[in-house]
Structures are given as structure tokens and as C-alpha cells.
Amino acid sequence: MAAIEQRAALAVEARSGLIAALRNRLVCRPGCDDALATWGLEPLPQRWTISAQAHLSYTRSHTDEDEAREQARWGAPDEVRLLQPAMAVYPQHVIDVAPTFNANDEPGPHRYRVTVQVTLQTWATATREADARDAARTTMDTHLQELADPSITLTRLTWQTADSPDEAPPDDIDTDAQPLVGAVNLTDVDRLTAATAARDAAVQALTGLRRSIRVRAIRALVDDEFGGIYQHAAQRVDQFLVDLGLDPLPRAHHVTVIADLTLPVGDGTARDACDAARHRMRTVTASSPDQARPWTAYGWTLPAHATVDQDGWRIPWQHEYEMWLRGHSTPADATTAAEALVRADLSRALVGINHHLVTVTATVESRGIDLHLHPDSD
């Protein structure tokens, strides 16, 4: 039961947090829809237009029957039109106009009982059409009770198929709807085997939802669904996860390392020497991090400081690494680790080449949520 209750609470909190982000324009509606579907939660409701046919009867004063019939064709009593929540009234045709006076009444305006076939429309925000219909019926019943004029009646009410729904405005979306799936059936748990199976299913459902929420949130960061400054978006996602009781996103030191070295590149012109240096350093160039090389790295020549001797050209080269390192408590620890990684990478790439590594300078730029997250492992 604890696992079931935790999963239900987590589902409601995750959905509420996501809808709050939608209202604040931090996530887009397609992304919100996708996340809710991925997590198996109640989707966003839609705005349904619910229509009905009915007979509207009311009593009004008119100079004669023709005027009563003409006005009934084009309008409805103000008491009906001004009801809140709004209800649209569209007269279709006049069924009957009957005077409520006798032949001895004085000349002038008289009261007529008018009955009109009308189409009514009201609007409801709900996930399913059936729920929208129930809401529309409730609205209609409330309206009929609230009509100040007892002479106004609505009969033969017939509901029609709802029109295709529109997107509901974020402010109209209820954040407390329950999840659609994932409940565990606890019937027939009198035996130990059945009870154990129910417990395992409940724990698995809770664990699965936790993982699904985390994976989808990290995927949104990795795929840059938020746009803007990464750390700003990452901090919002991190707070979302923490508020749900999940682990925070991993932190890392952002470190830049610059290695200065000289490369022997043989004979030829200075241009040939620079081209040869670029070719030789291509193996330590990385445009995107991976498991083997968790950094980006690129470099450039410094032709103004090139020298030449009996063995050919020696070209100064500056290589810059950018990496995010986890697991270091202080910036000093991070810079030491980054320098070691760079030295090892250059030694592997330049084995057998009589290069000279002049300096390796590591600098911590910042500490924050790791830029390189992995949805399946983080």
C-alpha cells in the first residue's frame, strides 16, 4: 500500500509541476503532452464545445403577434444570454406564439407566450468527451436553477455529439487529475504468493515511474528542448526532480585546459610545416565528448614562433580542452585531474614523436550541473 500511495502521489505531483511549467511558458504543449504520455499520466484536457437542441419558452410583451414572432427568430431573453459560464443560444425556428390576454384587454402591448426551437452551446474543459458532456449537463442544470424569471423554461433537451476539441488554455487546466494507468490490483491477496506478487508489482510501478520521469527530464535537457542558457534550464529541471523526491542532477566542474607544445614536422615551407602540424594533431581533436574522450578539443599553430634547424621545422602548437569533471570536491582537485587527463591524451596520441610539452594550464570556469548528461545512466 505504501508503494501504491507513493506512486499515486508522485504522479499527481509530477503532473502538477509539469502543468505549472506550461503555464509559466517554461515548456511547450507538445513537450508537455509527450512527457505525460511517456509517464502514463492523465493527458492535458481540451476545450470541448457541447451542443444541444431544446425548446425555449418564455413570456414577453409585444405590440402584436407578428412582432413577437419576428423578435423570437433573432434573439433570446437577456436572462439566458447573460448566464455565466457563457451559453450561446441560436434560435432555429419559432414553434408557437400564443397571447396570454383575452379579447377584453386594453389596446397596446400585450404578453405573449413564445416557444422556439433553439440550439444551445456551452464549453467544458475535460480530458474525455464523456467528462465534457457531464460538465455541460451540470452547467445547464445550474443555469436553469439560477434563471431569475420563472416564466423561462427549457424542455426537450437533446444533447448532440461534441465538436472536435481545441487546446485548453493552460490556466484552465486542473493540476489535480489522477494518473490513467499503473494502479495495482489488490484483490485475492489472502495468500502469501498473491500478496507478494501484488507488492512486487506496486514497487515495480513506483520504480518505473521514478525512472521514467527522470529519463524524460534529462532527455529534454540533452535534446535542448528548453533552449536558452543551459544552466538556467538545468536548474529548473533539477528543482523539479528534487521537489518530486528524486535525486538531483549530477554536478561537475567546468574546466578549460590549454596545452602548449612544439612539434617536429620536417622540411618544406612554413606553410607546409603548419599543414603537417594540423594533420598530426587531428587525432587529438574532438568535436563532441564520448566515453573514451569526455571532452572537446581543438588546436592551432603559432607560425610567428616557428623555428627551423638541421632536422627541419619545429612548430609551436596550442591545444585547448574543454571538459566537465564529476566527483571532485574542490576546484584544485578538478584542475589536477584535468591536467592528468590532458597529459595522458597527448602522450597516447604523440607516442614516438619527438614533441616537447611546454606547459599545461588548467582553469576551472565554473561548477554546476553537468553539461553532458546521459538519460539512461544519470
Side-chain angles (χ1 to χ4, degrees), residues 110-150:
H110 294 287
R111 305 280 286 177
Y112 289 87
R113 185 66 177 173
V114 180
T115 301
V116 185
Q117 176 76 31
V118 296
T119 295
L120 305 174
Q121 282 188 344
T122 187
W123 295 267
T125 300
T127 301
R128 290 168 289 274
E129 181 179 349
D131 296 336
R133 284 176 171 278
D134 290 342
R137 291 189 181 96
T138 300
T139 298
M140 192 66 66
D141 291 342
T142 302
H143 283 344
L144 293 178
Q145 296 170 8
E146 293 177 350
L147 283 173
D149 189 340

Side-chain angles (χ1 to χ4, degrees), residues 252-258 321 323-343 360-366:
H253 286 90
H254 177 202
V255 186
T256 298
V257 184
I258 297 179
Y321 291 77
M323 59 186 73
W324 290 75
L325 298 181
R326 304 182 189 179
H328 303 288
S329 57
T330 67
D333 294 338
T335 56
T336 300
E339 182 178 338
L341 287 171
V342 167
R343 289 181 180 277
V360 176
T361 305
T363 305
V364 172
E365 305 293 342
S366 63

Side-chain angles (χ1 to χ4, degrees), residues 145-374:
Q145 296 170 8
E146 293 177 350
L147 283 173
D149 189 340
S151 71
I152 300 176
T153 61
L154 204 62
T155 59
R156 299 190 184 184
L157 191 63
T158 304
W159 295 99
Q160 300 176 317
T161 302
D163 292 343
S164 298
D166 298 319
E167 291 183 352
D171 291 342
D172 292 345
I173 297 175
D174 180 13
T175 63
D176 296 328
Q178 296 298 313
L180 281 175
V181 297
V184 178
N185 185 3
L186 289 182
T187 60
D188 190 28
V189 294
D190 54 321
R191 293 179 300 173
L192 178 60
T193 301
T196 302
R199 180 204 63 193
D200 293 345
V203 172
Q204 183 177 3
L206 174 60
T207 303
L209 180 57
R210 284 173 172 166
R211 176 172 176 76
S212 180
I213 290 172
R214 189 175 186 84
V215 168
R216 184 62 183 84
I218 293 176
R219 173 58 61 189
L221 278 175
V222 171
D223 292 345
D224 194 24
E225 293 183 22
F226 300 103
I229 300 173
Y230 172 82
Q231 283 296 330
H232 291 177
Q235 288 168 12
R236 290 195 295 266
V237 171
D238 183 72
Q239 190 63 54
F240 172 73
L241 295 176
V242 170
D243 288 345
L244 295 178
L246 305 181
D247 290 337
L249 295 174
R251 264 58 178 176
H253 286 90
H254 177 202
V255 186
T256 298
V257 184
I258 297 179
D260 288 287
L261 61 156
T262 56
L263 300 170
V265 292
D267 298 327
T269 65
R271 184 183 184 87
D272 294 336
C274 290
D275 290 342
R278 280 190 288 269
H279 178 76
R280 182 160 293 172
M281 295 300 292
R282 190 173 299 166
T283 57
V284 286
T285 298
S287 58
S288 59
D290 55 35
Q291 290 184 346
R293 297 189 297 179
W295 54 68
T296 58
Y298 65 98
W300 55 91
T301 60
L302 300 173
H305 300 287
T307 60
V308 64
D309 56 25
Q310 66 274 12
D311 295 324
W313 287 96
R314 296 189 68 84
I315 298 295
W317 183 273
Q318 196 166 76
H319 211 67
E320 181 172 317
Y321 291 77
E322 184 178 19
M323 59 186 73
W324 290 75
L325 298 181
R326 304 182 189 179
H328 303 288
S329 57
T330 67
D333 294 338
T335 56
T336 300
E339 182 178 338
L341 287 171
V342 167
R343 289 181 180 277
D345 184 54
L346 292 173
S347 297
R348 284 191 300 269
L350 301 175
V351 63
I353 299 174
N354 186 26
H355 68 284
H356 174 52
L357 188 56
V358 181
T359 60
V360 176
T361 305
T363 305
V364 172
E365 305 293 342
S366 63
R367 185 178 186 275
I369 296 168
D370 196 344
L371 178 65
H372 307 298
L373 298 174
H374 304 280

